[in-house]
Amino acid sequence: QVQLVESGGGLVQPGGSLRLSCAASGFTLDYYVLGWFRRAPGKLREGVSCVGSGGGRTYYTDSVEGRFTISRDDARNTVYLQMNDVKPEDTGVYYCGAVAGQNAEAKCLPSLVRFWGQGTQVTVSS
């Protein structure tokens, strides 16, 4: 049974940090790009950051470039999103997703996600 389980969301002040984790099981991670997607209030779900197999290639949407860092530990079947210098516009539900293939940039699209986690809420507010 495929499962993606996110953790680490919560309330954080602007300028603060948060680390999201996603534990994957039930499929072979080697064949998948893993990523984080978010649904901000009133907006469509978007790809925030994705990482290819082995962690070598990454993609970040422009708004988080330089502030967020994605990493994956295939030995632990886990993908992380380190969020630094968070801003109110980072607020939303963050979903972990798995996309078949290897090109992190080309695959970081919600429409391509094969497996989804249940989501974790991130709220940036003072």
Side-chain angles (χ1 to χ4, degrees):
Q1 180 182 359
V2 172
Q3 281 192 309
L4 294 170
V5 181
E6 301 98 335
S7 60
L11 175 64
V12 60
Q13 293 187 341
S17 296
L18 208 60
R19 189 171 88 148
L20 305 183
S21 299
C22 171
S25 61
F27 65 102
T28 303
L29 272 64
D30 288 353
Y31 305 130
Y32 287 83
V33 167
L34 300 178
W36 291 93
F37 304 79
R38 72 182 171 200
R39 188 192 306 275
K43 296 186 177 181
L44 297 174
R45 199 179 306 195
E46 64 170 337
V48 174
S49 181
C50 289
V51 58
S53 177
R57 302 194 68 173
T58 58
Y59 162 80
Y60 298 93
T61 193
D62 287 348
S63 64
V64 308
E65 182 81 55
R67 299 188 296 119
F68 292 9
T69 302
I70 192 170
S71 60
R72 63 189 279 174
D73 183 344
D74 287 354
R76 297 178 182 269
N77 290 347
T78 304
V79 60
Y80 306 95
L81 186 67
Q82 178 66 43
M83 306 167 63
N84 295 332
D85 189 23
V86 295
K87 302 177 180 181
E89 51 264 42
D90 295 323
T91 293
V93 180
Y94 283 71
Y95 299 88
C96 179
V99 179
Q102 298 299 324
N103 187 322
E105 181 170 0
K107 299 289 187 179
C108 208
L109 296 171
S111 60
L112 299 179
V113 173
R114 180 172 294 181
F115 307 125
W116 286 106
Q118 82 286 353
T120 186
Q121 176 71 43
V122 172
T123 302
V124 182
S125 175
S126 55

